[in-house]
Amino acid sequence: MNAHLQPTGSAYFISPETAAVESHTLSVLVDNEPGVLARVIGLFSGRGYNIESLTVSETEHQAHLSRITVVTRGTPQVLEQIKAQLERIVPVHRVVDLTVRARELGQDRPIEREVALVKVIGEGDMRAETLRLADAFHAKVVDATVGHFILEITGKSSKIDQFVAIMKPLGLIEVCRTGIAAMNRGVQGM
């Protein structure tokens, strides 16, 4: 490919090369009805935006509203474009860039947490070491047999990454992560 030609099909190439690519957490309030999540995801995939993390759950049962939390990367211009396009989808009630809101409040990032279930073989000396490290990371044992553990850990994604890396040499079998749930500090809601 020639150096002056930009790849097509992705909005990441719209912004000047000098603009810094950042990770942002977006919170999207939508109607809880069939097809809404597919439309939101379709917006990302159809324009070449990547989703690093995605969580969705009904948060206001009486109003039938769900909250979608999306972590994506892009330049400030691309992130504004994503937000504007999300706001145009009909069942979307509100889009908040939690990362921008946190900075407006004088904070580095919103409160972000993730839950992971981690299955580890637990035999012999490795069994004691697994339990010791699980305790150090405040992970809870949610299932145990003589041959394995399933541990539940909650925290920042970086903490979970570190825990998973430490469990690999001890007999890591499987990891299931929820994706990021996020909220800004302070008395103001979304």
Side-chain angles (χ1 to χ4, degrees), residues 70-89:
V70 181
V71 179
T72 190
R73 292 181 61 78
T75 63
Q77 180 182 357
V78 167
L79 292 164
E80 274 303 314
Q81 183 180 19
I82 290 170
K83 186 177 174 215
Q85 290 171 348
L86 283 170
E87 288 171 338
R88 286 196 287 269
I89 296 176

Side-chain angles (χ1 to χ4, degrees), residues 94-113:
R94 186 149 190 220
V95 180
V96 176
D97 186 330
L98 296 176
T99 305
V100 169
R101 173 78 57 82
R103 289 177 186 159
E104 291 170 355
L105 296 170
Q107 299 147 8
D108 184 43
R109 303 260 329 149
I111 301 293
E112 297 177 339
R113 294 295 183 266

Side-chain angles (χ1 to χ4, degrees), residues 167-181:
M167 289 294 127
K168 280 183 183 177
L170 296 175
L172 180 70
I173 299 169
E174 183 178 0
V175 178
C176 179
R177 295 172 77 152
T178 60
I180 293 172

Side-chain angles (χ1 to χ4, degrees), residues 155-177:
K156 293 181 179 181
S157 294
S158 58
K159 174 185 174 182
I160 293 173
D161 291 340
Q162 185 180 18
F163 184 70
V164 167
I166 287 172
M167 289 294 127
K168 280 183 183 177
L170 296 175
L172 180 70
I173 299 169
E174 183 178 0
V175 178
C176 179
R177 295 172 77 152

Side-chain angles (χ1 to χ4, degrees), residues 133-153:
L133 289 167
D135 186 54
F137 276 82
H138 303 288
K140 294 189 292 186
V141 176
V142 294
D143 184 54
T145 68
V146 294
H148 83 281
F149 294 104
I150 297 178
L151 306 164
E152 175 187 310
I153 183 168

Side-chain angles (χ1 to χ4, degrees), residues 23-129:
S23 179
H24 278 235
T25 304
L26 306 175
S27 189
V28 186
L29 192 63
V30 299
D31 288 338
N32 185 15
E33 59 187 41
V36 174
L37 181 60
R39 290 177 68 190
V40 170
I41 299 306
L43 181 144
F44 280 82
S45 64
R47 288 163 179 80
Y49 305 137
N50 188 42
I51 295 174
E52 294 181 357
S53 174
L54 173 71
T55 59
V56 61
S57 181
E58 185 174 64
T59 56
E60 295 181 39
H61 184 67
Q62 297 298 333
H64 301 289
L65 295 176
S66 289
R67 183 172 175 154
I68 300 171
T69 304
V70 181
V71 179
T72 190
R73 292 181 61 78
T75 63
Q77 180 182 357
V78 167
L79 292 164
E80 274 303 314
Q81 183 180 19
I82 290 170
K83 186 177 174 215
Q85 290 171 348
L86 283 170
E87 288 171 338
R88 286 196 287 269
I89 296 176
V90 171
V92 171
H93 293 272
R94 186 149 190 220
V95 180
V96 176
D97 186 330
L98 296 176
T99 305
V100 169
R101 173 78 57 82
R103 289 177 186 159
E104 291 170 355
L105 296 170
Q107 299 147 8
D108 184 43
R109 303 260 329 149
I111 301 293
E112 297 177 339
R113 294 295 183 266
E114 188 173 4
V115 176
L117 295 175
V118 179
K119 187 184 290 186
V120 182
I121 293 173
E123 296 175 349
D125 291 341
M126 296 297 203
R127 186 174 183 83
E129 183 65 4

